[in-house]
Amino acid sequence: MNADTLPPARSGPWPWLRDNSAWLLMAATLALFATETLFNGPFWIMSVAGLYRACRGRRAVFEQPPVGLLGVLFLCLWLPQLAALPDAANPVHSLENTFAYPHYFFAGVYVLTSLRDPATLRRLEIAVFWIVTAWVLDALLQYAAGAD
């Protein structure tokens, strides 16, 4: 056997996972909203990935109008929370809530930058269709059975 007759090396699942991770994380978060806390797993992964994208390509990320608008809206929510911290009735609780909020912004950065890809948007639309279909069928079954 020589190099011309060798079969190509298998790349494994990594390229597929790299190409599909965005819509999979978003769909998993949506599907897991039906649970009490399991949605936090994919949501935190999106937050960390959004933070990475924001740090790696600051100019490219924040020059996008949807991300800029998200930033302004987030600051409209978060800055009053920061300003209210010194006067908080329960300072520990307020501090925990206030400093937990930025992960929502970075998850939003991840979602907005990921959905620029039409293939990701299309796959997410299909996933949302099937998730909502499953929820509706489950609700109809529960209604017909008379049990939750």
Side-chain angles (χ1 to χ4, degrees):
M1 277 189 163
N2 60 25
D4 295 332
T5 60
L6 287 174
R10 291 182 50 182
S11 59
W14 303 120
W16 183 88
L17 189 58
R18 183 193 65 235
D19 295 340
N20 293 290
S21 61
W23 73 267
L24 286 170
L25 285 169
M26 289 181 249
T29 301
L30 177 66
L32 293 174
F33 274 144
T35 67
E36 190 171 337
T37 58
L38 288 178
F39 69 91
N40 284 317
F43 193 82
W44 273 98
I45 293 170
M46 288 191 302
S47 298
V48 171
L51 176 62
Y52 174 75
R53 284 182 181 178
C55 291
R56 185 189 65 178
R58 222 170 310 151
R59 171 168 265 166
V61 168
F62 290 105
E63 284 181 351
Q64 298 174 32
V67 177
L69 180 60
L70 175 68
V72 168
L73 293 174
F74 175 75
L75 288 176
C76 287
L77 175 72
W78 197 55
L79 289 178
Q81 289 179 339
L82 283 175
L85 275 178
D87 253 5
N90 187 346
V92 174
H93 179 71
S94 296
L95 193 65
E96 288 173 355
N97 282 341
T98 301
F99 287 106
Y101 262 68
H103 85 280
Y104 293 109
F105 172 71
F106 291 113
V109 167
Y110 180 79
V111 168
L112 290 174
T113 55
S114 295
L115 291 180
R116 288 184 311 166
D117 176 29
T120 300
L121 179 60
R122 180 69 183 136
R123 290 179 183 130
L124 181 61
E125 288 171 344
I126 293 168
V128 168
F129 169 79
W130 287 111
I131 290 167
V132 172
T133 299
W135 286 346
V136 167
L137 291 175
D138 178 56
L140 289 173
L141 183 64
Q142 289 181 27
Y143 179 74
D148 189 6

